[in-house]
Amino acid sequence: MIAFEKFGQHQPLNRQAERYAREGVPISLSTMADQIGAVCAVMRPIFDCLKAHVFAVKESMAMTQRGL
């Protein structure tokens, strides 16, 4: 939920921590940042694969436009 709110809802971690504290679930900002870092590390191979695919398509389109 923390990662979705961070990336999907564009909710800063400090606001999430404040909201969780108001709801009776105190989570430190550093713990939330560690979780986001772990999510990013796990997702890195997927990001690299998508990046390679996008640049391959971009290069293919450029070659097509040049008539190669």
Side-chain angles (χ1 to χ4, degrees):
M1 201 65 182
I2 293 170
F4 171 72
E5 290 178 8
K6 169 76 174 141
F7 298 114
Q9 301 295 320
H10 309 286
Q11 186 74 25
L13 293 179
N14 63 323
R15 289 189 189 159
Q16 289 186 49
E18 291 169 0
R19 192 183 80 244
Y20 283 122
R22 281 193 308 270
E23 294 174 2
V25 184
I27 302 176
S28 72
L29 188 57
S30 64
T31 299
M32 295 175 80
D34 288 344
Q35 289 180 351
I36 293 298
V39 167
C40 291
V42 168
M43 298 297 291
R44 185 63 192 217
I46 295 171
F47 170 79
D48 291 339
C49 183
L50 286 170
K51 181 179 171 184
H53 177 73
V54 167
F55 282 116
V57 169
K58 187 176 179 180
E59 180 62 28
S60 175
M61 290 175 63
M63 290 174 60
T64 302
Q65 290 174 353
R66 288 191 301 243
L68 298 177

